[in-house]
């Protein structure tokens, strides 16, 4: 079977894409290691929140910064400069106050931590709920 030039050029991108996908499988990013001595000191206080409805979630994060610092956020903010962990979402600009994924991950981490789950168990549950 011979291919016309036009047919060949139409099929070529599909072949290249298929070979690339097989050659380099996408690896899920790893969760970060919680930083020693991490605290909630940089988590935005309620007075600085523009969305006061997020205050309860920020309070949860302030209770368990060492856990939240060991979780990778799944909303896409992990690709931003200066990002380290889910805890970062609750610091500086406080982007978590407007993000249901950041808030959902923090709520789940807080709940499971309160039930005595390990950090690895919490990570697995968050990946199952919010991962790709």
């Amino acid at each position: 079977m011979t291919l016309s030039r036009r047919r060949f050029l139409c099929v070529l991108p599909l072949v290249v894409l298929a070979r690339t996908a097989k050659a380099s499988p996408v690896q899920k990013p790893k969760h970060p290691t919680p930083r020693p001595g991490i605290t909630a000191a940089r988590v935005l206080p309620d007075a600085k929140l523009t969305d006061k409805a997020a205050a309860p979630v920020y309070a949860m994060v302030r209770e368990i910064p060492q856990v939240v610092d060991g979780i990778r956020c799944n909303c896409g903010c992990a690709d931003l400069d200066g990002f380290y962990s889910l805890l970062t979402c609750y610091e500086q600009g406080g982007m978590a106050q407007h993000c249901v994924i950041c808030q959902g991950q923090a709520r789940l981490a807080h709940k499971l931590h309160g039930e005595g789950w390990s950090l690895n168990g919490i990570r697995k549950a968050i990946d199952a709920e919010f991962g790709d």
Side-chain angles (χ1 to χ4, degrees):
M1 179 179 141
T2 60
L3 290 175
S4 68
R5 183 170 189 255
R6 173 175 280 179
R7 180 79 175 141
F8 175 77
L9 291 175
C10 289
V11 175
L12 182 62
L14 298 175
V15 172
V16 170
L17 185 60
R19 294 185 113 201
T20 304
K22 287 180 183 177
S24 58
V26 176
Q27 293 182 357
K28 285 189 173 182
K30 293 183 179 180
H31 290 280
T33 301
R35 295 167 282 189
I38 193 70
T39 69
R42 294 182 57 191
V43 173
L44 286 181
D46 290 350
K48 290 194 176 184
L49 296 177
T50 57
D51 185 351
K52 302 300 182 191
V57 182
Y58 274 73
M60 291 176 194
V61 168
R62 284 187 208 99
E63 291 177 16
I64 57 166
Q66 71 287 356
V67 173
V68 180
D69 197 47
I71 298 170
R72 182 181 192 279
C73 184
N74 289 308
C75 79
C77 60
D79 298 328
L80 300 174
D81 287 339
F83 179 87
Y84 185 78
S85 68
L86 180 60
L87 186 62
T88 308
C89 301
Y90 290 85
E91 300 173 340
Q92 301 160 355
M95 67 85 54
Q97 62 189 311
H98 308 291
C99 180
V100 295
I101 294 173
C102 295
Q103 291 180 23
Q105 287 184 228
R107 281 189 182 100
L108 183 56
H110 186 267
K111 176 184 176 287
L112 298 179
H113 178 74
E115 293 174 1
W117 286 47
S118 69
L119 177 57
N120 284 336
I122 293 170
R123 288 170 170 166
K124 288 177 184 175
I126 284 177
D127 288 344
E129 181 75 21
F130 298 95
D132 294 337

